Amino acid sequence: MNRLFSLLLLTLPLPALAWDASVGVLAGTAIDMPDRVSSGSTRFNPGGSLAIPIRYRIGEAAFLRAAVRLDAATGHDQVTWNAAAGDRMLRMSSRDHWSLLGAAALTVGGEVRVPAEWAVLPYGGASIGGTWVGTWHSFGVSDSGVDTRMLIDPAQNDLNDGNNIDPWASGFAILAEVHLGAAVPLSDTVELQVETGYSMAYLPEADLRKATPGLDARRSAFGWNPVRIQAGIAFTF
């Protein structure tokens, strides 16, 4: 009976059950948008963005999508620390020092595509996942006169080394994103893709690593919510 059942399955039409898979590589720019969390104290310039999306077909026009994403941008964030003023302790802040943001994210979600044999195939979807975000700084005396050199602990930093990594911060956050794109088939297994998307992640306040002990130096909370514009190639197998 089991053998007969197996033979019947082999005779059924199975195109609808095909699990086509594709792997893509997309590169472009990430444009940080204003966020209410930092009230404008943290903002990054347009930077680079790289994504590796993997798709699995689960229907005629539906896909599961997982993506690894890397972002980098320069700009400024806000750091705060304690400073003594007589018998009082004040909370000082700096927001015009140079900063570098680096982010790595992994998301999983769904995607739909127009089920037609057009020259250009629109698609879109939404995903959720997690991201690790780090911010590195260059401390000193800013153009506005704010001195952040006291944040650099001599015991953990080489002040004579121009390549010294000044106090920095990192954190993990939940990330949600949406995307829209268009695919242009170049062959049966290769297609050109152009994609735009928007993602949102809340980064809580984080301690500055390698900072002078006793100052309670922290990077302030902010929202990392870039708009991305990317283009690349996807391979189906």
Side-chain angles (χ1 to χ4, degrees):
M1 178 64 70
N2 290 336
R3 183 174 298 177
L4 177 60
F5 183 71
S6 300
L7 291 174
L8 287 174
L9 283 179
L10 292 175
T11 62
L12 293 176
L14 298 179
L17 300 180
W19 276 63
D20 296 334
S22 72
V23 177
V25 178
L26 302 173
T29 185
I31 305 171
D32 187 28
M33 305 301 290
D35 70 278
R36 295 184 179 180
V37 176
S38 68
S39 300
S41 63
T42 298
R43 187 71 184 275
F44 293 93
N45 304 314
S49 182
L50 176 69
I52 303 176
I54 302 174
R55 297 174 175 87
Y56 294 94
R57 183 187 295 275
I58 57 175
E60 183 181 5
F63 297 81
L64 288 176
R65 167 169 162 153
V68 175
R69 188 182 299 283
L70 302 174
D71 297 316
T74 62
H76 58 266
D77 60 3
Q78 177 173 272
V79 299
T80 64
W81 66 94
N82 290 333
D87 58 351
R88 296 188 303 161
M89 190 67 69
L90 301 179
R91 194 67 182 168
M92 307 297 292
S93 68
S94 171
R95 64 181 64 177
D96 56 357
H97 51 271
W98 180 89
S99 299
L100 168 67
L101 176 143
L106 173 64
T107 59
V108 178
E111 185 176 278
V112 293
R113 177 178 295 204
V114 172
E117 295 183 2
W118 296 352
V120 178
L121 303 174
Y123 64 85
S127 303
I128 192 168
T131 183
W132 177 90
V133 177
T135 51
W136 293 264
H137 311 95
S138 180
F139 291 133
V141 180
S142 68
D143 294 338
S144 62
V146 178
D147 190 351
T148 52
R149 290 175 295 183
M150 79 290 297
L151 299 176
I152 305 175
D153 180 18
Q156 304 180 71
N157 299 271
D158 185 353
L159 303 182
N160 296 318
D161 183 2
N163 295 319
N164 179 74
I165 299 177
D166 289 357
W168 60 286
S170 67
F172 289 91
I174 295 174
L175 180 143
E177 67 178 18
V178 294
H179 67 275
L180 292 172
V184 179
L186 302 179
S187 69
D188 291 340
T189 59
V190 181
E191 63 183 18
L192 173 67
Q193 294 181 350
V194 178
E195 185 175 302
T196 183
Y198 175 70
S199 63
M200 300 170 289
Y202 166 74
L203 275 302
E205 190 176 50
D207 293 336
L208 283 182
R209 304 183 184 187
K210 299 177 61 181
T212 302
L215 299 183
D216 191 23
R218 303 178 186 176
R219 184 214 62 210
S220 298
F222 70 97
W224 171 236
N225 56 339
V227 171
R228 297 183 178 87
I229 302 172
Q230 297 178 306
I233 295 289
F235 303 90
T236 300
F237 56 91

